[in-house]
C-alpha cells in the first residue's frame, strides 16, 4: 500500500516539481494550493506525511501547524521555508513541525528528508506498540507523571499540554532522571540518526518544554549542562504526599 502525502504549496512550478518527483518515488500525492482548503483536508483525512509551505493564501503555514497540533493531529509535517529564515524554522519547529526543508532544494534532499521522517515515525509507532505491551509503562517522578502510550503528562495532578516532540524529549529525559544526556543522545533518540537538522532543534524543544514545566520550578526542572546537554531534576521532597 503506498503512503499518502499531502502537499500544501501555492507556487505552481514548485507544486508541479513536488508532485512529479514524489509520485515518481511511489507516493500517493494530494496537492492543495490554498491554506484553508489544505488545512481542512489535513484535519479531515488521514495522511502519512504533510509537506507544508508557510506563506499561503487563506491561512498561513504556522496557523495550519498550530491548529492541527492543537486538535491532536500527529501526522508528521515538514515545512518548506525560505533561505536564511532562521526565525521561520524556529517558529515552525515550536509549532510542531517535525523537520524543515529550505527553498530552493534539490530533489534528492527532498526525497531523503521525506523518507527519513517516514522511517522515524514508523519506528516510533513500533516503539509505542512495544510500550503498550508491557503491563504498566507509566513513569512517576515526584509531581511528574508520564503516560507514554497516551502521550500524556501530569504535573501535580494537572494535565500539561505538550507537542509530540516535546513529549518525546521529556520522556527520554525522564527515563534517566538526574543523568546528563547530550544533545546528540536526544537528537538520535527523538529525531533519529539520519536527521539532517541541527542541534538547535533540541534547544528549541527543551526551551519550550521548560516554559511548560517550570510552572512549578521547585518541583521539576531541566538543567542545562553547558557544552554537554541536559538533565531532568526532580525535587522529591515536594512529592512526599504521593508516597504512602
Ligand atoms: Ca507560498
Amino acid at each position: 500500500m503506498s503512503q499518502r502525502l499531502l502537499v500544501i504549496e501555492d507556487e505552481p512550478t514548485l507544486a508541479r516539481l513536488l508532485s512529479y518527483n514524489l509520485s515518481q518515488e511511489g507516493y500517493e500525492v494530494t496537492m492543495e494550493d490554498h491554506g484553508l482548503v489544505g488545512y481542512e483536508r489535513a484535519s479531515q483525512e488521514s495522511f502519512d506525511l504533510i509537506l507544508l509551505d508557510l506563506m499561503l493564501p487563506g491561512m498561513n503555514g504556522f496557523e495550519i501547524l498550530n491548529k492541527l497540533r492543537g486538535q491532536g493531529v500527529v501526522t508528521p509535517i515538514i515545512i518548506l521555508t525560505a533561505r536564511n529564515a532562521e526565525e521561520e524554522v524556529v517558529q515552525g519547529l515550536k509549532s510542531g513541525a517535525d523537520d524543515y526543508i529550505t527553498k530552493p532544494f534539490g530533489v534528492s534532499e527532498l526525497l531523503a528528508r521525506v523518507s527519513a521522517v517516514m522511517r522515524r515515525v514508523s519506528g516510533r509507532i513500533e516503539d509505542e506498540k512495544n510500550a503498550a505491551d508491557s503491563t504498566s509503562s507509566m513513569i512517576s517522578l515526584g509531581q511528574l507523571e508520564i503516560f507514554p502510550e497516551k502521550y500524556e503528562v501530569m504535573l501535580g495532578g494537572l494535565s500539561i499540554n505538550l507537542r509530540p516532540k516535546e513529549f518525546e524529549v521529556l520522556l527520554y529525559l525522564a527515563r534517566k532522571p538526574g543523568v546528563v544526556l547530550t544533545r546528540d543522545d536526544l537528537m538520535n533518540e527523538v529525531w533519529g540518526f539520519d536527521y539532517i537538522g541541527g542541534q538547535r532543534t533540541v534547544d528549541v524543544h527543551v526551551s519550550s518544554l521548560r516554559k511548560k514545566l517550570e510552572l512549578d520550578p521547585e518541583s521539576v526542572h531541566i538543567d542545562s549542562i553547558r557544552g554537554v546537554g541536559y538533565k531532568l531534576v526532580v525535587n522529591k521532597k515536594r512529592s512526599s504526599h504521593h508516597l504512602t
Side-chain angles (χ1 to χ4, degrees):
M1 204 178 71
S2 67
Q3 288 169 305
R4 298 193 71 211
L5 263 59
L6 174 64
V7 179
I8 310 175
E9 169 61 67
D10 63 325
E11 210 279 296
T13 309
L14 183 54
R16 272 197 300 275
L17 175 100
L18 287 165
S19 169
Y20 175 79
N21 286 292
L22 292 166
S23 306
Q24 285 290 104
E25 196 67 12
Y27 297 113
E28 187 189 326
V29 185
T30 300
M31 304 296 300
E32 286 299 344
D33 61 3
H34 187 273
L36 187 58
V37 180
Y39 158 72
E40 281 166 357
R41 282 201 92 135
S43 62
Q44 285 158 14
E45 297 175 36
S46 138
F47 293 96
D48 296 295
L49 184 133
I50 298 167
L51 279 167
L52 178 63
D53 184 30
L54 292 175
M55 297 306 131
L56 291 163
M59 183 186 281
N60 74 41
F62 297 117
E63 291 174 81
I64 295 175
L65 266 174
N66 282 318
K67 290 192 89 154
L68 289 175
R69 295 309 189 218
Q71 67 197 51
V73 173
V74 294
T75 310
I77 298 175
I78 301 178
I79 51 173
L80 306 172
T81 68
R83 204 209 305 231
N84 298 327
E86 191 154 332
E87 279 170 26
E88 273 185 12
V89 170
V90 171
Q91 194 187 340
L93 293 171
K94 274 187 182 161
S95 302
D98 291 82
D99 199 355
Y100 61 92
I101 303 178
T102 307
K103 297 186 217 177
F105 48 81
V107 170
S108 52
E109 183 193 358
L110 167 75
L111 297 176
R113 290 208 178 217
V114 166
S115 76
V117 169
M118 294 275 201
R119 272 201 304 281
R120 274 203 314 271
V121 170
S122 58
R124 191 161 78 207
I125 290 164
E126 269 312 297
D127 289 351
E128 278 160 24
K129 274 193 206 127
N130 295 340
D133 285 345
S134 62
T135 43
S136 175
S137 51
M138 194 263 261
I139 297 173
S140 177
L141 294 165
Q143 298 204 314
L144 188 66
E145 289 172 314
I146 305 174
F147 303 86
E149 68 276 21
K150 291 191 285 184
Y151 268 62
E152 257 178 41
V153 175
M154 308 278 280
L155 183 64
L158 294 172
S159 174
I160 308 281
N161 188 18
L162 298 182
R163 311 237 183 239
K165 283 281 179 272
E166 291 167 355
F167 180 88
E168 288 167 33
V169 168
L170 177 64
L171 180 61
Y172 188 51
L173 289 167
R175 283 193 165 135
K176 296 170 183 176
V179 175
V180 180
L181 298 168
T182 67
R183 286 195 182 81
D184 275 344
D185 291 338
L186 285 159
M187 284 297 300
N188 295 338
E189 177 68 20
V190 176
W191 284 269
F193 282 100
D194 44 11
Y195 184 68
I196 312 167
Q199 295 188 335
R200 186 177 60 231
T201 307
V202 176
D203 299 333
V204 166
H205 283 79
V206 168
S207 123
S208 60
L209 197 48
R210 272 203 180 114
K211 284 198 194 106
K212 292 178 181 179
L213 291 180
E214 286 182 347
L215 298 169
D216 186 1
E218 294 295 304
S219 165
V220 182
H221 62 277
I222 300 170
D223 264 2
S224 294
I225 315 301
R226 244 185 113 171
V228 183
Y230 298 101
K231 73 173 173 182
L232 186 76
V233 178
V234 180
N235 188 338
K236 298 266 165 130
K237 275 182 289 185
R238 296 278 306 245
S239 64
S240 52
H241 64 280
H242 272 292
L243 309 169
T244 49

